[in-house]
Amino acid sequence: MLSSHSRRFIVPKRLQGAARSWLEEGDRPPRTARLASSVVLVRDSVEGTETWLAYRPGNSPLGVVAFPGGSVQNTDHDTFDWFGPSVGHWAEMLGVTDFALARSHVVAAIRELFEETGVLLAGSDATTLVEGTNTPDWTRVREAVASEEIGFAEFISKRGLGLRTDLLRPLVHWVSPDFAHRRFDTRYFAATLPVGQTPTLLPSKGVWGEWALPARLLKDRDSTAIGDLIGEEDTRGLPLPELLVPASEIILEKIAKAKGCIAYLNIKRSTHTYQAELEEDNGQLWLRVEAPSAAPATEALATVPHPGGIAS
């Protein structure tokens, strides 16, 4: 039998108005949650496993500080060459019966990672991976894909590439709280940083992005260091929990405990859905999240291959 335990997370100040309104107005339907995908990019360093985090403006449902990601688009249903587990296998790993849904989440994950960081999980066959994606030419392509001047499928096809879906791992399914004005139904994935690729911010949208050591971030979670470093109006003076959604905090905790990024990617995981419930305790607003403490894992993929080697 599946067992679970509850955890409580603060409601960030930026969301407390919507949360209070939700409690006061009583029963009403929540806004529709848009489908989204996000990728936790990891690499090994001498200090431990690191991950790429970036600033997201505009009350993003992924958090003010988040992993690369965004909404699933209609074009994510386009045709792509596909190297990796079948769509049916992906549906099983994601715990869904809708193959098209599973496929669109996987495609969106690879596309969003490319748009926001320049890291592209694609190759000419099942054993190759592109390199050197931080040149001006590649940056122009990223801008064109992000602005929808060119379709992601068209770009991939013209370059003679296919999506290396075998380099992704499913992580967490997170649904934004009911009270939020903007809501995402997000599938989080993980991938290691390939050799020959370096994450860079998209010039037209990027404000701040860096490799971060989760163990250090969590140790200093009550410090305002990360918010002050980003230096934006909605980050200065704020501690880590004000900047993250609970899903991101949970993921950072798991990375901090991992013994290397390959070990982290190959952990067997359940298909549990996290959705925070709003509650009030002595005037303080909290997000209560039910987390599985023991669950049968979905069928795992074979050990994740080194994507041309792992960057250190």
Side-chain angles (χ1 to χ4, degrees), residues 89 92-93 169 265-269 297-303:
H89 194 172
E92 181 181 353
M93 289 188 292
R169 289 293 179 273
L265 263 66
N266 283 296
I267 295 172
K268 293 182 179 180
R269 296 175 172 90
T298 55
E299 181 182 353
L301 293 165
T303 302

Side-chain angles (χ1 to χ4, degrees), residues 85-96:
S86 68
V87 174
H89 194 172
W90 268 110
E92 181 181 353
M93 289 188 292
L94 294 176
V96 300

